[in-house]
């Protein structure tokens, strides 16, 4: 097992990783920017190294600074968390060259899943259901026109270097295609330095259901059931839950098998997530594979009663997995609390927390790095806490969440707590009657 792990991240996920390392008897190194000098991850880690100024590009994304911090502290592994360098194949490669274990998949696995056409092509060949569409990149306008007619409108254009909703265009009829194709290309080129675009049938009002997976270094893989992440706003998830209210035991079996096929196709090593779109007939289609631990991993932890960070570290250290799958025994819901004003287009609201009362009690887990007097810096993601509530049934988990939200007092900044309180009250949400379009017409 590793003696010392450097955590190349900040905020709640850095704390989350430090906590598991402490339980496992592994020493920790925090890295921080000058804006995070007074952060809890700096205080909770055994050692801390300042890696630069506030801008991410000069600190949490600066590979040279992070490798130096690793060298001077003698850490033998790096946990990247999520975001920042978590899905950067170059960083995983540099770790390998330095003899530092990157806690995550291989550089090749990261790069194959990072390129969306390569990912889809790999999955289709492995027999994972994929959305009908172009065979790889669209060469030109004529090909796009021909294909759109063949597939049938509406279609969607996606950037191969994109993902998470960036660089997408829905096209409802032929007269919109030319303009959409050109703007999709230009936008993709500007945003990713790669103007490759592909086409798919547009699935209307789908659910976003993802399967948590784990694979070891010996080619064995398993699934850990699903999370429903359909409640999103502009491709930002706001709440997630497990199990999905739309799931059936039969669908879980089929989606779980498909997700394991996806892992086997690339000999996946580490914990990961296979994202699917699910239509109203319960047809499901591969969308993307995330090769990192995700923000919403906690709902899975609560329903299967496993520490996924511990599993991730054990797999990286060379432990074998049993190969059996995991099924939900409870129901868990997570609300992401962001320093944003939900009454003002979710505009960021950084600043000092002047009063803080944190909920607790039965069935309530809070993963957060905030404290009374903490100043939320404006430079990073606005998520400041996650409330995860777990109960025997979905409706009880919602009731626990309502109680926890009503106890949470955060003053000095605006937060998304009022949004979540309204969501938990919503009749359609309570009935599990929602898809990815739900928030487009949600008023509160
Ligand atoms: C789609 C789709 C419908 N049809 N692809 C959004 C994020 C990126 N991963 C892919 N996305 C979508 N791809 C086809 N062929 C609808 C979406 C989509 C979406 C997906 C998941 C969660 C929220 C969403 C919101 C809008 C669009």
């Amino acid at each position: 097992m590793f003696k010392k792990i450097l955590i190349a991240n900040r905020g709640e996920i850095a704390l989350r990783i430090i906590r598991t390392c402490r339980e496992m008897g592994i020493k920790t190194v925090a890295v921080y920017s000058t804006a995070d000098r007074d952060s809890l991850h700096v205080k909770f880690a055994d050692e801390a190294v300042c890696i630069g100024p506030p801008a991410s590009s000069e600190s949490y994304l600066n590979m040279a600074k992070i490798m130096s911090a690793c060298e001077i502290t003698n850490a033998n592994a790096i946990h990247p968390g999520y975001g920042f360098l978590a899905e950067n194949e170059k960083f995983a490669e540099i770790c390998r060259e330095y003899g530092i274990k990157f806690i995550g998949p291989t550089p090749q696995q990261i790069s194959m899943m990072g390129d969306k056409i390569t990912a889809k092509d790999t999955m289709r060949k492995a027999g994972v259901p994929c959305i009908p569409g172009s065979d790889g990149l669209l060469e030109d306008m004529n090909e796009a026109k021909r294909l759109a007619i063949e597939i049938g409108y509406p279609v969607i254009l996606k950037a191969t270097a994109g993902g998470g909703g960036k660089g997408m265009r829905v096209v409802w009829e032929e007269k919109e295609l030319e303009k959409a194709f050109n703007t999709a290309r230009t936008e993709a080129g500007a945003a990713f330095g790669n103007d490759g675009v592909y086409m798919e049938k547009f699935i209307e009002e789908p659910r976003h259901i993802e399967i948590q997976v784990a694979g070891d270094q010996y080619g064995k893989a398993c699934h850990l059931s699903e999370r429903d992440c359909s409640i999103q706003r502009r491709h930002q998830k706001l709440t997630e839950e497990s199990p999905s209210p739309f799931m059936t035991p039969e669908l879980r079996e089929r989606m779980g098998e498909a997700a394991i096929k996806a892992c086997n196709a690339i000999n996946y090593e580490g914990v990961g997530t296979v994202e699917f779109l699910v239509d109203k007939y319960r047809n499901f289609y591969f969308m993307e594979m995330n090769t990192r631990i995700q923000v919403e991993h906690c709902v899975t932890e609560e329903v299967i009663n496993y520490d996924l960070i511990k599993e991730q570290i054990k797999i990286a250290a060379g432990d074998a997995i049993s190969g059996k799958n995991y099924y939900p025994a409870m129901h868990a819901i997570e609300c992401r609390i962001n320093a944003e004003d939900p009454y003002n287009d979710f505009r960021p609201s950084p600043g000092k927390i002047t009063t803080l009362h944190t909920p607790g009690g039965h069935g309530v887990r809070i993963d957060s790095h905030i404290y009374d007097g903490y100043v939320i810096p404006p430079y990073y993601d606005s998520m400041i806490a996650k409330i995860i509530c777990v109960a025997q049934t979905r409706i009880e988990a919602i009731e626990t969440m309502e109680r926890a939200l009503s106890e949470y007092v955060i003053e000095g900044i605006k937060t998304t707590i009022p949004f979540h309180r309204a969501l938990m009250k919503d009749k359609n949400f309570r009935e599990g009657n929602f898809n990815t379009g739900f928030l487009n017409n949600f008023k509160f």
Side-chain angles (χ1 to χ4, degrees):
M1 185 42 71
F2 309 116
K3 286 201 158 53
K4 198 188 270 190
I5 295 177
L6 181 143
I7 296 113
N9 216 303
R10 63 180 300 282
E12 69 87 17
I13 193 63
L15 274 183
R16 169 76 194 80
I17 297 161
I18 291 168
R19 285 177 167 143
T20 289
C21 288
R22 174 142 305 155
E23 290 178 16
M24 296 176 79
I26 300 168
K27 293 266 183 269
T28 52
V29 180
V31 294
Y32 63 99
S33 73
T34 53
D36 281 339
R37 196 173 275 136
D38 300 320
S39 288
L40 281 190
H41 77 286
V42 174
K43 297 193 217 306
F44 276 34
D46 295 300
E47 293 169 74
V49 181
C50 182
I51 51 165
S56 301
S57 57
E58 295 181 64
S59 51
Y60 300 105
L61 287 172
N62 188 318
M63 303 186 207
K65 293 253 186 69
I66 292 166
M67 296 319 292
S68 314
C70 210
E71 202 159 347
I72 60 172
T73 56
N74 266 310
N76 36 31
I78 294 182
H79 196 305
Y82 52 68
F84 297 123
L85 297 169
E87 290 171 290
N88 186 310
E89 71 239 39
K90 198 171 133 214
F91 184 61
E93 185 58 49
I94 289 170
C95 288
R96 171 183 284 186
E97 284 162 17
Y98 274 66
I100 303 294
K101 180 64 191 176
F102 175 84
I103 301 175
T106 66
Q108 201 206 359
Q109 290 161 350
I110 295 172
S111 101
M112 283 180 76
M113 295 302 105
D115 183 89
K116 303 309 164 193
I117 289 179
T118 307
K120 189 174 173 184
D121 201 47
T122 307
M123 294 313 162
R124 187 178 35 223
K125 285 179 179 143
V128 180
C130 292
I131 304 168
S134 56
D135 234 350
L137 285 177
L138 290 171
E139 292 294 332
D140 54 37
M141 211 26 236
N142 286 337
E143 189 193 358
K145 274 203 173 126
R146 197 165 32 75
L147 203 66
I149 290 167
E150 190 186 310
I151 298 168
Y153 286 94
V155 297
I156 185 168
L157 300 170
K158 296 183 175 182
T160 188
K166 274 174 268 164
M168 299 190 331
R169 271 280 179 293
V170 180
V171 188
W172 295 89
E173 48 185 349
E174 179 163 315
K175 70 173 177 11
E176 304 168 350
L177 184 63
E178 183 152 358
K179 197 171 152 212
F181 181 67
N182 291 327
T183 50
R185 269 211 157 158
T186 312
E187 277 182 19
F192 315 113
N194 174 351
D195 70 358
V197 167
Y198 63 105
M199 184 185 288
E200 283 180 348
K201 174 86 188 161
F202 179 62
I203 312 289
E204 294 182 62
E205 307 198 321
R207 284 172 172 79
H208 171 139
I209 301 179
E210 56 188 34
I211 305 284
Q212 176 73 53
V213 292
D216 66 20
Q217 296 178 20
Y218 315 100
K220 206 175 262 179
C222 69
H223 78 74
L224 304 90
S225 296
E226 80 282 2
R227 293 183 287 262
D228 194 315
C229 305
S230 301
I231 305 291
Q232 310 203 357
R233 184 183 174 275
R234 301 194 184 157
H235 305 296
Q236 294 288 346
K237 295 169 185 166
L238 289 169
T239 65
E240 308 91 354
E241 62 183 293
S242 183
S244 166
F246 195 61
M247 192 50 72
T248 65
E250 178 267 339
L251 180 61
R252 182 178 292 118
E253 231 27 71
R254 288 195 289 130
M255 290 182 71
E257 274 316 302
I260 291 171
K261 257 190 204 169
C263 291
N264 290 339
I266 56 170
N267 248 304
Y268 191 73
E269 166 191 339
V271 306
T273 300
V274 186
E275 295 185 349
F276 293 98
L277 286 181
V278 183
D279 71 17
K280 59 184 172 210
Y281 308 108
R282 293 194 170 81
N283 296 309
F284 63 89
Y285 306 94
F286 172 80
M287 189 163 52
E288 292 176 16
M289 181 166 184
N290 300 319
T291 57
R292 60 170 190 277
I293 192 77
Q294 288 184 279
V295 174
E296 62 269 28
H297 74 278
C298 310
V299 296
T300 300
E301 294 188 322
E302 295 305 317
V303 299
I304 68 171
N305 201 21
Y306 263 89
D307 177 339
L308 288 180
I309 303 288
K310 188 183 275 183
E311 294 310 307
Q312 206 180 12
I313 293 170
K314 281 162 65 179
I315 286 168
D319 278 17
I321 63 170
S322 76
K324 79 176 176 75
N325 301 320
Y326 292 82
Y327 294 91
M330 302 288 279
H331 198 103
I333 301 184
E334 171 176 279
C335 289
R336 298 189 187 190
I337 311 303
N338 295 344
E340 295 171 357
D341 181 357
Y343 298 109
N344 218 325
D345 206 30
F346 290 78
R347 181 159 10 133
S349 175
K352 183 171 179 160
I353 294 174
T354 54
T355 309
L356 180 66
H357 291 289
T358 304
H362 187 63
V364 179
R365 164 177 170 182
I366 308 286
D367 276 23
S368 175
H369 58 291
I370 64 175
Y371 56 82
D372 210 339
Y374 175 66
V375 180
I376 297 149
Y379 310 101
Y380 314 108
D381 190 273
S382 62
M383 193 179 76
I384 54 170
K386 303 185 297 199
I387 310 179
I388 305 100
C389 292
V390 59
Q392 296 276 346
T393 65
R394 182 170 189 271
I395 204 71
E396 289 172 296
I398 291 172
E399 286 163 0
T400 303
M401 184 61 80
E402 290 189 283
R403 190 268 293 169
L405 288 164
S406 75
E407 288 178 8
Y408 220 162
V409 179
I410 305 175
E411 282 174 2
I413 56 155
K414 302 280 202 300
T415 77
T416 50
I417 290 171
F419 163 83
H420 290 295
R421 294 187 73 172
L423 178 65
M424 294 302 130
K425 279 211 208 40
D426 184 86
K427 183 169 179 291
N428 282 316
F429 178 76
R430 291 178 88 97
E431 288 172 359
N433 180 21
F434 55 79
N435 58 54
T436 56
F438 181 82
L439 292 185
N440 296 338
N441 23 20
F442 180 71
K443 299 277 175 292
F444 79 104

